[in-house]
Amino acid sequence: MTKFKGYLDRLRENLETLDEQIENARKMSKVKKKGDNRVALQYSKTLRDLVELRDKTLINIKAHLLGRDETGAVHEPSDVYSGNQEVEFERAFKTFMAPWTAADLKLKCDDCGKESEEVTTRHIQRGYESDYFDLCNECSEKRKTQEPEAGSDV
C-alpha cells in the first residue's frame, strides 16, 4: 500500500527538499580554488532562488493554517490565537507538518459510530430547524427519510 500524500504532506516534503538543496548550494557557493569563481557565483544565484522558493512555500503553509482576511492578506498568529501566539502557531505548524496517513482522513459517524472516508458533515433540515452532523451515507438517508416526531411543531 502506498503512503498517503496529501496537500500538507507535499508541502512538508517540498520544505525538506528545499532545506537539503539550500545546504548543498551553500557548500558549493564557497570558492575552493582560484578558477571556481563562476561556479560559486552560479551556486550563489541558485541559493538565492531556493531561499525565495522556501519563503513562498512557508507563506502558503501559513495561509493554509491561519487563513486570509478580506483583503487577501495572510492572518498573523496574533490575529488567530489569544495568549502565546507564536508558541500556538508553532504547535499547529508542527502538527500540520507531521506526515499524514489514510486513517487521518476518516471521520466517525455521529449515529452508527462507523469510521470511514464516506463520513462527511451533512446538513439536515426539519421545518425551520436545521443542524449539521457528521454522517455516513446510510445514516444520512435514514435521517432524511425519518418522519418528524409526533407532537412537534415542525
Side-chain angles (χ1 to χ4, degrees), residues 8-22:
L8 291 172
D9 269 336
R10 293 180 195 284
L11 288 176
R12 179 186 50 79
E13 287 178 344
N14 287 351
L15 277 180
E16 290 173 355
T17 302
L18 284 169
D19 287 341
E20 290 172 11
Q21 294 308 313
I22 287 170

Side-chain angles (χ1 to χ4, degrees), residues 23-40:
E23 188 59 35
N24 290 341
R26 273 197 183 110
K27 289 177 188 173
M28 297 303 289
S29 67
K30 306 287 189 238
V31 177
K32 296 175 184 132
K33 297 179 186 173
K34 193 172 186 176
D36 289 345
N37 287 340
R38 281 197 277 178
V39 173

Side-chain angles (χ1 to χ4, degrees), residues 33-52:
K33 297 179 186 173
K34 193 172 186 176
D36 289 345
N37 287 340
R38 281 197 277 178
V39 173
L41 178 62
Q42 187 60 43
Y43 274 104
S44 295
K45 290 177 183 179
T46 301
L47 177 62
R48 177 203 60 209
D49 294 342
L50 289 170
V51 169
E52 287 177 5

Side-chain angles (χ1 to χ4, degrees), residues 6-16 18-19 53-68 74-75 77 81 89-98 100:
Y7 178 74
L8 291 172
D9 269 336
R10 293 180 195 284
L11 288 176
R12 179 186 50 79
E13 287 178 344
N14 287 351
L15 277 180
E16 290 173 355
L18 284 169
D19 287 341
L53 185 57
R54 185 178 193 278
D55 185 52
K56 287 179 185 178
T57 304
L58 286 171
I59 289 171
N60 286 339
I61 293 169
K62 188 178 187 182
H64 185 78
L65 290 175
L66 302 178
R68 297 180 183 271
V74 177
H75 286 293
Y81 304 108
F89 174 76
E90 290 299 330
R91 286 178 179 170
F93 181 79
K94 179 182 172 188
T95 301
F96 272 67
M97 289 293 99
W100 285 49

